[in-house]
Amino acid sequence: MGKRKVISGAKKQGRDHECSVSSFLFYLCGVYGLLFYIDSFAGIAFDRRILCLSILVFGLLLWFVFSKGNRCFFLFFLVFAVICAAAVYKYRQPLFRQTEHFASVIIGSFDGAGYRGPERSVTGMLVIAAAVIMYVMFIFEFITGNHGLLCLLFLGLLFLAPVAGLPTDGKTLFLMVVYMASFWALHGAGFRKKSLAGPERSLISTRSGAICGVLAAGIFLVAIPVVSHFSDRLYAGVYEAERLVYRTADRIQKSRGESRADGQVSRANRYKTGKDELTVYLNTAYEGDFIEEAGSEAHKPFSAVYLKGFSGGAYTENGWDPADDGTLLKKHWVNLSIDEKNDPRYEMLKERREKMPEQMEEDYYNLGAFLMASYGGSENYEPFVFVVTTKFVTDDINNQDHFEPYNHGWQLDRSLEKTAEDGYYMRSDTYDFYDQKYLHIDWNYRMGEQQIGQQTQKEFDWYQESIRAANGSETEYGQPQDSVYAGMSEDEIWNTMYENNRLAADYWNDQLARLKNAQDVYLEAVTAAYTQVPEERLPRLVQLVRSHPLETVEEITAFIIETLQSNASYSLTPGLSALNEDVVESFLFEKGRGYCVHFASAATLMYRLYGIPARYASGYVLFPEDLEKTDWGGQYKAVLTDDSAHAWVEIFLDGKGWTPVEVTPGNEHDYEKGSTVFSQEQLANALKNMDIPKTNERAKPAPEQTPRPAVSTQSGELTEPKPSEGRFRLSKELIFRILLSVCVLAGIFALLLAVGFCRRFRLCSMKKWDCRRVYGKMMRMLHFCGAFREWDGSEEEFPHLLSQYASFLPEEAVGRMFWIVGKAAYGPGKTTEEENAFVRNLYFQIADKAYKDLGMVRKLVFRYGRAFG
Amino acid sequence: MKKLLFLILIGITYYIAGMYRSQTLLILFAVEVVFAVVMFLLPRIFQRKLHLDFAVKSDVAQKDAAHLCHIQATYRGMLPVSRFRIKLQVSYDTRPDTGKGGKRSSSFRKTQTLYGNCRHGDTRLSFSFCAPFCGLYSVRMDKLRIYDYLLIFSKGKRLHEKMTVAVLPNPVPLSLSLPFASLAKGEQADMQTVDRKGNLSGEVRQLREYTAGDTARSIHWNYSARADELYVKEFEKDADLMTEILLDMSGFFLQDAASVSRFYEILYSFMLTVVGREQTVCVQWFDEKIKTVVSEKAFEKKQCGEILLKLYRTDFSEENAALCRDMTGKYRAEQAGKDSCFRLDLNLCLWYGDLLLKQF
C-alpha cells in the first residue's frame, strides 16, 4: 500500500509526429540544403533540374504514404527497396563509375592538394542516393523524432566546409539553418515523455516549428548585410581572444625566448610574445674616411641587416626543407666535367673532386670574403664587426642555429657559455660584415702588365718618398741599410718590385679564376636544385607565372613584388588555411592576407618558376634604429625580440651570391621593397608597361584566369563547367534575389495571415451569437464531419448519442446544452450570456474532437474554409 | 546543461568562422546569437501571459479508478507556448487542513511532473488521477516552468493553485445476515446483495421540480425547456425506512491511511446496502468542532457520498480524542435499545448494540 502510482500521464492521442505542410516544406529545405552542399565539391556535377524534381516528387510521395499510416509507410519502403535494387542492378556499370568518381572527389577534397581531376556528372547516382537519404531523414524526423543526430550532422558539414576549403554559399546555409531551427522547435514541442492530453499538441508543435523556421529565415536575411559590413571586426574579435589565450598559455608555461629559425610556413595566425631572442653587438674599428663616407649615421649599417638562420631547399606540404649545400655540391661536383687537356689545374681539381668535395663549398664560402677583402677593401672600406649572440636551450653546438649576416667575411670567433640566470646557453659568433652596396666584381678583370706597372710605380714612388722623409731614420722597411732593397740600384729595386707584383697579380688572377669557377659550379648546382617547384600542388601559381613571361631579373623582381603587394595585404592574423589547399595558393588566391612567411614563400616559388635560383630564408632583421650605443666606445647593441623575426627570399646573383630580396609590405617595420641590389628606380622602370594580374575576388578577375576543365558526362560529351562558387559575396544580383525572395515569402506569409485572420474573425464573431445559432453551426459541423447526418439535433435521444460521440464530455453537460438550446427555442425568456458561453465552450470542444478525425484536406477546409474551429 | 552546450556551439561557430574567415559561418554565428537572445526572452514573455489553474477546485473520484482532472490554461499571447512543465504535488491527508497546525503529517506524498502546451485562449488540459486510498487528496501546482521553442532557456514561476479530490470507495454493497427479524417494518430479515442502478423504465408517477441529488437521467428535458425550470420524472415513492449507524471515531489519529480507507469503504458499503433496500441510513458521529453528535441521512447513493465527504472534512484531533470517545460512548448509551442502531469503530468492528456482528 502507498506504493501505487497516484498520478499517471494520459495516453498519447494519435501519432506522435504528424507531417503538416509546413514541416514538410522545412524537411525539403534540409534535403535541398544537403544537395547544394554536395554541389560545392569541385569535380561533382549533376543535372539540377532532374535532381530537384526527383526530390520534390519523392518527398510528396513519402508525405502521401506517411499520411496513410505507419504500416503503409513501411510497406512502401519494401517496394522502394525493390525498385532501387532493380535500378541499381540494371544500371550498375554507369552507377558504379559515378560512385567511384564521387568517392574519389570526396577523398581528394580532403587531400593536401585537393581534387584536381575533371568534373563528371553523377546525376544517376545522386538520384538514388537522394531517395535513400530522404527516406532515412523522413524516418528520423517524422517517425522516431530524432532530430539531434541530423542536426549534429548538418552542423558538422557546415563546420567542415571551411576546414576542407569547400565554398559553401548562402543558399545552402539558409536552407540548412531553416531546417535545423524548425525541426528543433517541432520536436521540442512534440514531447515524448509524460504528457498532458492536450488537444492541440500537434498543431502547436507545428506552429512552433514554423515560427522558428520563419524566424531563422528572417534573421538570416538581415544578418547577411550586417555580417558583410562588420566581418573584419567580428574576425578581429576571434583573433583577440586567441591572442589572449596564447599569451596566457605562454605565461603559464613560462616559456623562454629562444633564437630560432625554420622553414615552417604557418597556416595559422602569429602572435608575438615580445621576449628577447637575439642580441647583436656591433663594433666598428676605424674612423676617418669611413665616417665621412658613411655620413651622419656613423658606425651603423645603412640599411636593414638580414641575419639568416635558415635557408629553405625543397618545398613540401609542411613548408621548406633545410637547404643542404654540402650534399648538393657533392652530388654536383661528382658529376662535374673538367677539361683534362686544357685546364692546368686539372690534377688539383680532380683531387679535390675525389677527396674533398666540401672544398668547393669552402671556396664558395670564401668567395664573399675574398671579394669583400679584395674589392671592398680596394676602396678603403672596412667592414663592420658583428657579434651575434644567440640563445639556445641545449649546448649541442652542432644542432644550434647560427644567424649570420649576408656578405660577411670569415667567421672571426665563436664562443659558448651558459648564463647563470635562466639556464640559456649563449653562443657568440663574430663576423665581419660588408655592406653589399660596396660589392661589385668584374670576372673578366685581369691584372696585366699595365696594372702591374702602375702598381709598381706607386710602390716605387712611395718607397723613395719614405726614404727621403726618413732622412736616415727608420722607415717602414726598417733601417735603410736593413731594407730588402738595401744596396740595390733604382733599376734593381724597380725590377724586384715589379717581379713581386707580377707574382701577386698571377696569384690574384688564379684566385679570381678559381673562385669564378667555384661560383659557376655552384650556380649550376643551385640552378638545378633551387628552381624545382611541385607544380601539381600549385597550378594557379604556375599559370600566373607562365602567363607573364619575363626576361631580366629586374623585371621578374618588380613583377613579383608588385603582384604580391597589390594582391595581398600584410596581416599577422590571416586565419587558417583550408586543409586541402596549399598554404601559398590559399594566401595569394583566396585570403589575400598573410605575413612574411607567406610573402617570402610565394616569392621564392615564383622566382623558381621563372628559372632563377631562389631560397626561402628566415632569421632576424636588424634595423639601424634598433642599435643603441653602449658605454664602450664605438660599440652598438641591439636586443631583438620575436618582433624582429622575419622571413624573406634570397636569390643567387652572379657576382653577388645569395642576395636577400624584400617582398613583404611594410607594416610595423619599414621594409624596403626589393633589396639593396635593385634600387627603387630600377624596379619602377621595370614595372613600366607591365600588366599586374589580380589573383583573388577582392579585385576584378583577370581575363586569363585558369580555365576550369570541361565536364565529361557519362556518355563522354563535354559540357560547360559550372562557375566556381567562390566566397560568399554580397553582389547586386544577390541583393535582388534576396529582396525578391523576401517579397515572395512576405506575400505568401501575408496570404496565410489573411486566411488566418479571416478564420479568427469568423470564430470571434461567434461570441456574439446566441446559443441556437451556435447549435446550428455545431450540427452543420457534425454533418460535414460525417456524423449524425440523419439527425437534426432536436431529437430526445440526441444528447445521449452526442455524449457518446464526445465521450470526454459528461452527459450532464451535453444535456444542459440541449436544455439551454431548447429553452432558447421554446421557452418564454431569453438565455443568459453565461448559458450562451456554456454552449459555445461545448461547441469548441466538440469541434476539436471532430477535427482530429478528419483527413488532411478536409482539415484544411474545416479550419480555413468553413471556419468550424 | 543545454544552455552551456548551446553557448559552446556559438563559441565554436564563431571560432571556426574567424579562423577560416568564413562569412557563411559568421552568418550562422549571427543567427545563433539572435536566436539565443530571442529564445531567452520568449519564456519571460510567455510567463506573463500564461495563467494556470484547476478547472474545479474540488472534485470527487473513486478509489482505484482513473479519474480525469482538468487544468485550465489561460493564455493571452499570440505566439503558442510549445512546452511548459508543471510540478504537481499530490498529498493525502487523513485529516483536513485546519490551518492550526499540530495536524498529523500526510500519509502519502508524491511529486509528479507533467508537460503541456497551449495557444491563445483557454485550453483545458487533462491528466488522470488514480487514488489508492479513500479520503481527501490535495493536488497542488507547485512550480511552473515555461520553455522556449528550442528548449534551451526556461523561466520558472511558483504556483499556489490547489484542488481537493475526495476519493470515495467503490460502490460495493455489503452482504450481511442480521440476527434480528427485520431492519424495517415489512421488509425481509436478510439483506440481499444487490447491485442496482437507478431504474428509469418504470411508470412515471409524476413530475416534480428538480432537487439536488436527482440524477440527470430523470430530468424531463423537453418539459423543463418549456417551463424554464428543471423537472424530474418520479417513478415510485421513496421509502420512509431508516437505519442508524454510529461511528466511533475515537483513536482516529492512531490509524494509518490504509486502515482509515478501509473504514470508509466499510461505511460506504453499509450505507449503499441500506439505501439499496430503499431505506434511509442515518450516520452519526461526534463532531468535536460543534461538540455534538451530528446526524446525516441518506436515502440514495449520491447522498451517501455526500455524507462521506462531510466525514472526510471533519477533524478528529488527538487533543479531543478522549472527548470524542466519551461523547460517543454517552450517545451510545442514550441510544441503547433503539431499533436499528449499528456502530462501526475504527477497529473495523461492526456492532449492533453490544453484539459484534463482524470484524472486517
Side-chain angles (χ1 to χ4, degrees):
Chain A
M1 297 287 277
K3 292 183 183 176
R4 295 176 67 178
K5 202 166 166 184
V6 175
I7 294 175
S8 61
K11 286 183 185 173
K12 294 172 191 171
Q13 294 181 359
R15 200 177 250 159
D16 273 350
H17 306 278
E18 296 181 5
C19 183
S20 61
V21 174
S22 58
S23 54
F24 175 71
L25 290 174
F26 293 134
Y27 162 77
L28 282 183
C29 282
V31 178
Y32 281 121
L34 207 54
L35 176 71
F36 293 135
Y37 185 89
I38 292 171
D39 191 26
S40 66
F41 280 89
I44 289 178
F46 54 83
D47 191 326
R48 285 191 184 189
R49 278 174 300 201
I50 292 177
L51 253 300
C52 291
L53 196 60
S54 304
I55 286 170
L56 182 63
V57 168
F58 193 70
L60 287 170
L61 195 60
L62 278 176
W63 190 28
F64 172 76
V65 169
F66 181 69
S67 67
K68 297 301 174 193
N70 280 350
R71 186 180 291 184
C72 198
F73 189 74
F74 286 108
L75 190 64
F76 171 77
F77 168 73
L78 292 173
V79 172
F80 165 73
V82 167
I83 294 173
C84 263
V88 167
Y89 180 75
K90 188 171 185 326
Y91 299 101
R92 56 187 179 279
Q93 283 193 355
L95 285 176
F96 178 74
R97 277 199 299 272
Q98 290 179 11
T99 308
E100 210 176 26
H101 175 73
F102 185 82
S104 67
V105 166
I106 300 295
I107 293 167
S109 296
F110 295 97
D111 196 4
Y115 178 78
R116 301 286 174 198
E119 269 189 355
R120 288 185 195 277
S121 175
V122 293
T123 305
M125 187 219 83
L126 278 183
V127 166
I128 295 178
V132 173
I133 290 171
M134 285 180 72
Y135 197 89
V136 171
M137 278 179 66
F138 203 94
I139 290 175
F140 266 87
E141 295 290 3
F142 295 107
I143 296 182
T144 64
N146 191 341
H147 178 64
L149 204 61
L150 288 175
C151 196
L152 278 175
L153 173 69
F154 275 67
L155 280 173
L157 289 175
L158 286 173
F159 290 153
L160 191 64
V163 175
L166 300 175
T168 310
D169 61 352
K171 66 175 179 292
T172 307
L173 177 67
F174 175 81
L175 293 170
M176 284 185 166
V177 163
V178 167
Y179 162 75
M180 285 190 288
S182 60
F183 274 95
W184 192 340
L186 188 78
H187 290 301
F191 34 78
R192 296 165 60 81
K193 293 184 180 178
K194 299 164 192 170
S195 63
L196 294 171
E200 297 177 317
R201 180 164 51 97
S202 175
L203 174 67
I204 290 171
S205 65
T206 304
R207 281 197 183 174
S208 309
I211 289 170
C212 275
V214 170
L215 182 66
I219 295 171
F220 183 90
L221 293 174
V222 171
I224 292 174
V226 173
V227 164
S228 297
H229 186 70
F230 293 105
S231 57
D232 286 336
R233 288 188 210 180
L234 290 169
Y235 294 142
V238 177
Y239 304 144
E240 278 304 315
E242 196 188 25
R243 183 180 292 119
L244 187 66
V245 170
Y246 179 84
R247 286 192 174 156
T248 306
D250 188 63
R251 251 184 253 125
I252 291 171
Q253 288 172 2
K254 294 183 184 173
S255 61
R256 302 170 290 182
E258 184 184 350
S259 312
R260 52 172 165 249
D262 56 34
Q264 189 182 10
V265 183
S266 174
R267 288 175 171 266
N269 297 330
R270 184 186 166 206
Y271 301 108
K272 298 176 185 174
T273 59
K275 291 194 168 84
D276 298 343
E277 294 185 355
L278 196 76
T279 308
V280 180
Y281 294 92
L282 173 61
N283 301 317
T284 53
Y286 300 98
E287 298 182 355
D289 293 340
F290 166 66
I291 294 176
E292 289 176 6
E293 193 173 344
S296 60
E297 290 295 323
H299 302 199
K300 286 189 184 180
F302 299 104
S303 57
V305 177
Y306 289 82
L307 301 171
K308 182 176 72 172
F310 173 88
S311 280
Y315 180 64
T316 64
E317 286 180 11
N318 298 325
W320 297 95
D321 289 340
D324 186 357
D325 278 358
T327 307
L328 178 73
L329 285 169
K330 187 174 179 179
K331 267 190 199 170
H332 194 82
W333 184 239
V334 166
N335 296 325
L336 183 68
S337 61
I338 305 171
D339 190 350
E340 288 184 39
K341 295 174 184 174
N342 298 322
D343 193 333
R345 297 164 301 163
Y346 170 72
E347 290 298 327
M348 181 261 298
L349 291 174
K350 185 182 169 193
E351 181 189 350
R352 283 187 175 177
R353 181 166 73 176
E354 288 169 357
K355 292 184 182 176
M356 293 183 291
E358 292 79 14
Q359 182 64 43
M360 182 58 70
E361 185 182 358
E362 187 179 334
D363 283 346
Y364 178 69
Y365 181 81
N366 289 325
L367 172 68
F370 173 77
L371 293 173
M372 291 300 175
S374 303
Y375 286 88
S378 67
E379 299 194 22
N380 290 325
Y381 176 70
E382 294 296 336
F384 297 99
V385 176
F386 265 127
V387 178
V388 181
T389 306
T390 49
K391 296 162 70 174
F392 301 98
V393 292
T394 66
D395 61 349
D396 183 2
I397 202 164
N398 294 323
N399 286 323
Q400 294 166 345
D401 294 328
H402 57 277
F403 297 87
E404 52 187 33
Y406 285 90
N407 312 311
H408 67 85
W410 290 273
Q411 186 173 10
L412 302 179
D413 191 19
R414 176 187 288 185
S415 66
L416 181 70
E417 64 180 40
K418 186 173 180 180
T419 63
E421 298 172 355
D422 49 11
Y424 273 118
Y425 290 91
M426 312 291 283
R427 196 184 83 185
S428 299
D429 297 285
T430 307
Y431 304 93
D432 54 350
F433 158 72
Y434 299 85
D435 205 300
Q436 198 187 49
K437 74 176 187 181
Y438 290 104
L439 177 63
H440 52 267
I441 185 172
D442 182 1
W443 292 113
N444 297 321
Y445 178 81
R446 290 293 181 272
M447 287 191 79
E449 297 294 330
Q450 187 181 356
Q451 285 84 7
I452 296 170
Q454 285 172 357
Q455 183 69 17
T456 307
Q457 186 63 50
K458 261 192 199 172
E459 278 187 35
F460 185 78
D461 290 343
W462 183 85
Y463 175 74
Q464 296 285 18
E465 183 63 32
S466 65
I467 293 295
R468 277 197 293 274
N471 200 17
S473 307
E474 186 171 345
T475 69
E476 186 180 337
Y477 292 92
Q479 294 292 339
Q481 60 273 20
D482 297 329
S483 163
V484 67
Y485 299 114
M488 288 186 183
S489 66
E490 286 188 356
D491 286 342
E492 286 172 347
I493 293 172
W494 170 268
N495 289 334
T496 304
M497 283 183 175
Y498 187 90
E499 187 58 28
N500 289 339
N501 283 328
R502 192 182 64 75
L503 288 172
D506 282 346
Y507 175 78
W508 166 263
N509 291 335
D510 277 348
Q511 185 79 341
L512 192 64
R514 194 161 66 85
L515 292 173
K516 174 67 167 70
N517 187 44
Q519 190 205 247
D520 290 344
V521 169
Y522 187 77
L523 183 58
E524 275 178 27
V526 300
T527 301
Y530 299 131
T531 54
Q532 301 279 336
V533 170
E535 295 187 9
E536 67 284 354
R537 289 182 52 206
L538 305 161
R540 286 180 283 186
L541 196 66
V542 170
Q543 178 64 24
L544 176 70
V545 168
R546 298 267 159 82
S547 59
H548 294 83
L550 297 166
E551 296 291 332
T552 64
V553 178
E554 289 91 336
E555 285 178 343
I556 292 169
T557 303
F559 174 77
I560 289 172
I561 291 172
E562 200 58 34
T563 301
L564 290 179
Q565 297 196 359
S566 62
N567 286 290
S569 58
Y570 183 89
S571 171
L572 288 174
T573 54
L576 293 172
S577 299
L579 292 176
N580 64 344
E581 275 185 2
D582 180 78
V583 62
V584 169
E585 284 218 333
S586 171
F587 151 72
L588 188 57
F589 296 99
E590 298 290 337
K591 293 188 289 186
R593 45 200 305 143
Y595 44 97
C596 54
V597 299
H598 306 113
F599 283 93
S601 298
T604 305
L605 292 168
M606 290 175 77
Y607 269 120
R608 289 187 178 187
L609 286 169
Y610 274 115
I612 296 176
R615 294 194 303 202
Y616 169 91
S618 65
Y620 294 86
V621 177
L622 171 70
F623 288 96
E625 54 266 25
D626 293 335
L627 291 162
E628 291 175 351
K629 213 162 186 180
T630 65
D631 294 334
W632 293 10
Q635 187 188 63
Y636 288 85
K637 176 185 172 184
V639 179
L640 304 180
T641 65
D642 58 352
D643 195 39
S644 298
H646 192 48
W648 58 91
V649 58
E650 57 181 10
I651 57 174
F652 192 90
L653 296 176
D654 186 9
K656 293 187 187 294
W658 288 107
T659 305
V661 180
E662 186 55 66
V663 298
T664 305
N667 188 20
E668 294 160 3
H669 300 287
D670 189 15
Y671 293 120
E672 187 180 347
K673 269 199 276 193
S675 69
T676 54
V677 177
F678 303 116
S679 67
Q680 296 302 307
E681 290 78 16
Q682 279 179 300
L683 294 176
N685 283 336
L687 274 176
K688 277 182 189 172
N689 302 320
M690 195 182 288
D691 176 32
I692 303 298
K694 301 297 178 186
T695 60
N696 54 50
E697 290 174 349
R698 293 178 304 148
K700 290 179 189 174
E704 60 273 17
Q705 271 194 347
T706 310
R708 293 281 297 274
V711 177
S712 62
T713 62
Q714 192 177 331
S715 60
E717 294 173 356
L718 297 178
T719 61
E720 272 303 312
K722 63 180 186 292
S724 172
E725 293 288 355
R727 281 193 316 173
F728 184 77
R729 288 189 64 211
L730 194 65
S731 62
K732 282 184 185 173
E733 187 191 349
L734 182 61
I735 293 173
F736 173 75
R737 280 192 192 177
I738 290 170
L739 284 176
L740 183 64
S741 307
V742 169
C743 288
V744 168
L745 284 173
I748 294 172
F749 187 66
L751 182 66
L752 291 173
L753 266 183
V755 170
F757 273 125
C758 183
R759 170 182 163 268
R760 198 175 282 279
F761 174 76
R762 290 163 74 179
L763 290 175
C764 286
S765 66
M766 284 178 66
K767 288 181 185 174
K768 298 175 189 169
W769 291 4
D770 69 347
C771 56
R772 290 177 63 193
R773 201 170 168 189
V774 173
Y775 193 78
K777 184 165 181 176
M778 184 191 77
M779 293 311 299
R780 289 196 300 278
M781 174 192 68
L782 289 171
H783 294 162
F784 173 83
C785 297
F788 305 106
R789 285 222 169 123
E790 296 172 359
W791 301 73
D792 64 6
S794 62
E795 297 83 355
E796 196 171 320
E797 303 80 21
F798 184 75
H800 177 63
L801 293 171
L802 186 59
S803 69
Q804 284 182 343
Y805 174 78
S807 55
F808 56 91
L809 290 175
E811 192 174 342
E812 292 85 354
V814 177
R816 187 170 174 229
M817 177 179 72
F818 191 75
W819 173 76
I820 293 170
V821 172
K823 176 181 151 186
Y826 307 115
K830 286 185 181 178
T831 53
T832 64
E833 183 50 41
E834 188 189 344
E835 289 168 340
N836 289 334
F838 177 82
V839 172
R840 267 198 302 276
N841 190 24
L842 242 62
Y843 163 84
F844 283 117
Q845 291 187 53
I846 295 169
D848 289 339
K849 194 268 179 212
Y851 175 79
K852 275 185 195 161
D853 298 332
L854 294 175
M856 205 178 306
V857 174
R858 288 185 76 80
K859 272 182 177 171
L860 287 173
V861 177
F862 184 99
R863 281 175 69 81
Y864 299 105
R866 306 293 293 270
F868 283 133
Chain B
M1 189 67 184
K2 278 186 186 171
K3 285 191 265 290
L4 180 65
L5 287 174
F6 192 67
L7 288 174
I8 290 173
L9 174 67
I10 293 177
I12 290 173
T13 309
Y14 187 38
Y15 178 76
I16 297 178
M19 293 314 292
Y20 287 93
R21 298 187 78 89
S22 167
Q23 277 206 353
T24 310
L25 283 188
L26 209 55
I27 293 171
L28 179 62
F29 163 73
V31 171
E32 287 171 357
V33 167
V34 175
F35 248 97
V37 172
V38 170
M39 292 303 134
F40 177 79
L41 293 174
L42 269 182
R44 282 140 183 88
I45 296 170
F46 290 158
Q47 189 200 50
R48 287 184 195 174
K49 298 180 187 286
L50 178 65
H51 176 70
L52 292 175
D53 200 354
F54 288 105
V56 289
K57 291 296 186 185
S58 59
D59 205 355
V60 176
Q62 208 162 60
K63 175 175 174 281
D64 294 335
H67 178 76
L68 213 60
C69 292
H70 303 283
I71 292 178
Q72 183 81 8
T74 305
Y75 178 62
R76 297 288 164 235
M78 296 307 296
L79 298 174
V81 178
S82 66
R83 181 187 276 208
F84 56 81
R85 184 188 72 190
I86 305 169
K87 275 213 170 150
L88 292 163
Q89 194 174 74
V90 178
S91 56
Y92 168 58
D93 291 313
T94 53
R95 291 171 50 180
D97 185 2
T98 59
K100 293 180 184 175
K103 60 180 178 178
R104 190 170 49 198
S105 59
S106 297
S107 305
F108 179 83
R109 182 168 289 174
K110 187 178 172 79
T111 303
Q112 189 70 22
T113 304
L114 298 169
Y115 296 89
N117 56 20
C118 63
R119 59 187 182 118
H120 179 83
D122 297 328
T123 306
R124 180 164 281 207
L125 307 168
S126 306
F127 66 96
S128 69
F129 168 57
C130 185
F133 306 122
C134 303
L136 270 181
Y137 282 79
S138 172
V139 183
R140 281 205 315 274
M141 281 195 270
D142 271 348
K143 287 180 195 170
L144 169 68
R145 183 156 288 275
I146 305 175
Y147 295 87
D148 63 343
Y149 293 140
L150 301 184
L151 307 182
I152 299 171
F153 298 98
S154 62
K155 184 80 172 74
K157 187 167 90 167
R158 282 231 165 246
L159 301 173
H160 303 287
E161 279 70 23
K162 180 180 168 180
M163 76 175 287
T164 306
V165 179
V167 178
L168 299 179
N170 294 318
V172 178
L174 285 177
S175 175
L176 281 179
S177 295
L178 297 173
F180 297 94
S182 68
L183 294 174
K185 295 176 186 175
E187 293 296 332
Q188 293 180 6
D190 293 330
M191 297 171 70
Q192 303 297 322
T193 302
V194 173
D195 185 18
R196 289 191 202 169
K197 297 181 182 176
N199 186 4
L200 298 176
S201 58
E203 187 183 344
V204 177
R205 289 188 69 244
Q206 63 173 0
L207 292 180
R208 61 172 174 82
E209 283 185 9
Y210 175 83
T211 54
D214 290 335
T215 61
R217 284 176 178 256
S218 63
I219 297 174
H220 196 299
W221 293 106
N222 281 334
Y223 188 84
S224 301
R226 295 192 191 92
D228 198 21
E229 233 180 289
L230 284 173
Y231 281 88
V232 297
K233 304 168 210 172
E234 199 175 72
F235 291 93
E236 58 186 11
K237 191 172 183 178
D238 295 332
D240 196 19
L241 302 169
M242 191 163 70
T243 301
E244 293 179 353
I245 178 165
L246 175 66
L247 304 179
D248 185 356
M249 304 305 287
S250 54
F252 181 85
F253 66 95
L254 295 171
Q255 305 302 319
D256 60 6
S259 303
V260 172
S261 178
R262 191 78 182 115
F263 174 82
Y264 290 139
E265 284 180 69
I266 295 167
L267 173 63
Y268 192 62
S269 297
F270 183 88
M271 287 194 285
L272 289 178
T273 305
V274 173
V275 302
R277 303 276 303 162
E278 284 117 31
Q279 294 179 8
T280 301
V281 63
C282 178
V283 182
Q284 300 159 334
W285 67 86
F286 177 74
D287 190 338
E288 61 190 44
K289 197 184 261 186
I290 56 177
K291 300 285 191 296
T292 186
V293 174
V294 299
S295 295
E296 294 291 336
K297 293 180 188 160
F299 52 82
E300 62 173 3
K301 178 182 168 186
K302 189 177 176 188
Q303 291 172 338
C304 296
E306 287 170 2
I307 291 174
L308 262 187
L309 289 178
K310 284 184 184 164
L311 190 60
Y312 289 162
R313 293 193 182 101
T314 306
D315 191 16
F316 301 104
S317 63
E318 183 180 353
E319 295 83 22
N320 295 317
L323 177 64
C324 176
R325 185 177 56 247
D326 293 341
M327 294 304 293
T328 306
K330 187 178 172 184
Y331 187 80
R332 181 160 65 85
E334 287 173 6
Q335 301 298 318
K338 267 196 175 176
D339 289 340
S340 305
C341 187
F342 290 85
R343 180 165 55 91
L344 179 65
D345 62 24
L346 286 163
N347 294 322
L348 305 181
C349 295
L350 180 64
W351 302 81
Y352 186 77
D354 291 326
L355 181 65
L356 174 64
L357 292 180
K358 184 171 178 61
Q359 183 170 17
F360 294 92

